[in-house]
Amino acid sequence: MSIKVKRSRAQPIARLLSKSGDISQLMRLSRLIDQAQQHLRAHLPEEMRAHIFVGGFREGRLTLISGQAGWLTWLRFEQRRLLELLHQLPGFESVSGFTFKVRPVHPIVAPPRNTRSLSADAGKTLAECAEDTTNPTLKRALERLASHARPPNE
């Protein structure tokens, strides 16, 4: 007995996201949550902005997360104003309230970039090598490298 398996073909990501499947719904929800977080943070006091995160949306309630209970206590008193702010955004008309959660928050921090710079002499040498090179791919690569050199007066 043989079992025939239907092989699935890889599809472009644009096609997967344009369908009304799970991925597109997840991406839409992610964009909405990000939009809500940006809108709320813009209307919060400066000292609070880095401590409040939108955690999700379920059954008409938006979850707000903070690492400190004190921030959420303040938000509880401001619920009516925050709901009015959210209702201004398209897609958030159905938000009926908030769920507040105190959780350790570890925001994603991009690692610092390790950038290197070339001296003016190194850039000049690379540019000269590019002029003498006949291979077009190598020539473009050398010119690109030479463009990273510091100006001669630094």
Side-chain angles (χ1 to χ4, degrees):
M1 176 192 279
S2 71
I3 299 174
K4 293 186 178 182
V5 178
K6 181 180 178 184
R7 295 182 186 230
S8 60
R9 304 242 186 249
Q11 297 178 18
I13 191 75
R15 185 180 306 156
L16 290 173
L17 294 178
S18 66
K19 291 182 182 177
S20 62
D22 293 337
I23 294 174
S24 65
Q25 290 175 353
L26 183 64
M27 292 298 291
R28 181 181 176 277
L29 183 61
S30 174
R31 279 191 293 274
L32 285 173
I33 287 172
D34 185 51
Q35 184 181 10
Q37 181 165 319
Q38 289 177 6
H39 191 66
L40 285 176
R41 279 186 173 178
H43 292 89
L44 291 175
E46 184 70 36
E47 63 273 3
M48 279 184 82
R49 291 178 184 170
H51 303 283
I52 305 299
F53 299 90
V54 176
F57 180 69
R58 176 179 279 176
E59 297 171 5
R61 299 185 65 82
L62 198 67
T63 302
L64 298 179
I65 300 172
S66 179
Q68 298 175 1
W71 300 121
L72 295 179
T73 301
W74 186 87
L75 289 176
R76 281 187 179 93
F77 288 106
E78 294 289 319
Q79 284 187 64
R80 180 169 286 134
R81 184 178 71 88
L82 295 176
L83 273 174
E84 289 172 3
L85 285 171
L86 274 178
H87 289 160
Q88 295 171 359
L89 292 174
F92 289 97
E93 297 86 8
S94 64
V95 175
S96 61
F98 297 103
T99 303
F100 299 102
K101 293 187 178 185
V102 179
R103 299 283 187 272
V105 178
H106 306 289
I108 297 171
V109 178
R113 292 189 66 186
N114 184 11
T115 58
R116 297 185 177 128
S117 60
L118 293 173
S119 66
D121 291 337
K124 182 180 175 187
T125 303
L126 286 168
E128 289 171 357
C129 287
E131 288 174 10
D132 294 338
T133 304
T134 58
N135 184 329
T137 308
L138 180 58
K139 185 176 188 134
R140 281 193 305 272
L142 289 170
E143 289 169 346
R144 214 171 32 249
L145 280 173
S147 71
H148 294 288
R150 290 189 303 254
N153 56 358
E154 282 186 13

